[in-house]
């Protein structure tokens, strides 16, 4: 049992009918969310349901690292509660800023975890990353049967072993990027450029390790880079 199921037990798993009902209910909530209707209710329920669903998956060994999605719904729920009771600044600012705080918290905790668990060995032993690379690509090879994953894994692992200094530099840069992620809270310009840096880090992880955590990188795209807003600005400028 992982997460909430350590408190409420993990023997209950919904049957097919209940799963369909939950799916329909979540779709309705997402429509309300996108339409900006009943946001206090929709964000709270999306937070609660997502925690339950993601906890079921993780309790069965499906490590999706989905916690940030739930946290963003909670952050936006708090923003709407503040607006309802007239607390704090404008709603338009808070529902984005609180989400950015959640994103910054996740990256900061990741950096703290690395430092507290491994310390300076995170950099000294970084060539051992080759083992993780082999594991990631081998998982894809075993899952799909595609030999190209096995070949790519061996190639990337050999590259890491042959370039230990560059590997340490890249991992050190990623650690620093995570540790200073709070800079996205300064203003929208900082959020945009630092969001590009974090996205570049995720792309690098995808290239070298075949790992792309969508549930973390996509919120960075949505709230830091905000491509839809940029598209509207460019259209209006033209």
């Amino acid at each position: 049992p992982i997460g909430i199921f350590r408190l409420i037990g993990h023997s209950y798993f919904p049957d097919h009918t209940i799963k369909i009902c939950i799916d329909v209910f979540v779709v309705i909530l997402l429509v309300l969310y996108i339409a900006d209707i009943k946001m206090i209710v929709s964000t709270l329920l999306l937070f609660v349901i997502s925690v339950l669903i993601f906890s079921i998956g993780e309790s069965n060994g499906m490590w999706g690292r989905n916690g940030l999605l739930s946290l963003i719904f909670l952050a936006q729920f708090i923003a709407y509660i503040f607006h309802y009771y007239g607390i704090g600044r404008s709603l338009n600012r808070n529902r984005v800023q609180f989400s950015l705080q959640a994103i910054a918290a996740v990256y900061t905790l990741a950096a703290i975890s690395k430092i507290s668990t491994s310390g300076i060995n995170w950099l000294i032993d970084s060539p051992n990353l080759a083992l993780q690379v082999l594991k990631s690509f081998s998982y894809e090879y075993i899952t799909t049967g595609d030999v190209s994953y096995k070949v790519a894994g061996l190639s990337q692992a050999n590259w890491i072993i042959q370039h230990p200094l560059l590997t340490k530099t890249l991992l050190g840069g990623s650690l620093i990027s995570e540790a200073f992620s709070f800079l996205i809270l300064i203003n929208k310009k900082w959020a945009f450029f630092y969001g590009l840096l974090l996205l570049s880090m995720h792309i690098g992880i995808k290239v070298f390790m075949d790992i792309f955590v969508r549930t973390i990188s996509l919120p960075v795209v949505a709230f830091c880079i905000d491509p839809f807003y940029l598209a509207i600005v460019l259209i209006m400028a033209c």
Side-chain angles (χ1 to χ4, degrees):
I2 299 296
I4 191 76
F5 289 108
R6 289 182 175 177
L7 303 177
I8 64 176
H10 63 287
S11 59
Y12 170 72
F13 295 98
D15 62 24
H16 185 65
T17 302
I18 296 178
K19 286 180 180 179
I20 293 175
C21 293
I22 292 175
D23 288 342
V24 172
F25 187 51
V26 169
V27 169
I28 293 173
L29 290 175
L30 289 174
V31 170
L32 293 175
Y33 177 83
I34 294 173
D36 199 20
I37 299 173
K38 300 292 184 181
M39 291 300 284
I40 291 179
V41 175
S42 61
T43 52
L44 177 60
L45 290 178
L46 284 169
F47 164 68
V48 173
I49 294 174
S50 66
V51 167
L52 291 174
I53 292 175
F54 297 151
S55 295
I56 290 174
E58 293 189 351
S59 295
N60 285 276
M62 299 169 61
W63 296 100
R65 295 175 175 83
N66 300 308
L68 179 57
L69 296 182
S70 301
L71 195 57
I72 285 176
F73 287 131
L74 176 61
Q76 294 190 334
F77 166 72
I78 295 173
Y80 280 96
I81 285 292
F82 276 25
H83 176 69
Y84 182 80
Y85 288 103
I87 303 173
R89 300 188 184 183
S90 70
L91 173 62
N92 287 338
R93 179 186 183 278
N94 283 346
R95 59 187 175 185
V96 174
Q97 189 70 6
F98 289 3
S99 300
L100 289 174
Q101 290 174 15
I103 293 171
V106 167
Y107 281 104
T108 302
L109 286 173
I112 292 173
S113 175
K114 292 180 178 67
I115 294 171
S116 62
T117 302
S118 304
I120 192 63
N121 289 330
W122 171 255
L123 298 179
I124 295 175
D125 297 334
S126 56
N128 293 337
L129 180 67
L131 294 174
Q132 180 62 46
V133 170
L134 282 175
K135 174 185 173 182
S136 298
F137 279 91
S138 295
Y139 179 84
E140 294 295 336
Y141 164 62
I142 293 171
T143 302
T144 64
D146 189 344
V147 180
S148 64
Y149 283 110
K150 184 176 181 180
V151 174
L154 289 171
S155 175
Q156 296 288 29
N158 287 330
W159 187 93
I160 290 172
I161 293 172
Q162 294 170 5
H163 301 85
L165 180 59
L166 183 54
T167 300
K168 292 177 182 179
T169 301
L170 292 173
L171 288 184
S174 67
L175 180 61
I176 293 173
S177 298
E178 291 177 337
F180 287 88
S181 58
F182 61 85
L183 293 175
I184 66 175
L185 304 177
I186 295 177
N187 55 43
K188 192 167 183 62
K189 184 180 293 185
W190 274 91
F192 175 75
F193 287 109
Y194 210 89
L196 291 177
L197 176 63
L198 293 173
L199 181 60
S200 299
M201 180 184 71
H202 283 290
I203 293 174
I205 294 173
K206 171 62 178 176
V207 171
F208 284 99
M209 301 180 64
D210 195 37
I211 297 175
F212 189 71
V213 186
R214 294 176 178 82
T215 50
I216 296 178
S217 55
L218 293 183
V220 170
V221 173
F223 291 98
C224 295
I225 302 173
D226 199 354
F228 294 108
Y229 173 76
L230 291 177
I232 292 173
V233 170
L234 291 174
I235 291 173
M236 293 180 64
C238 294

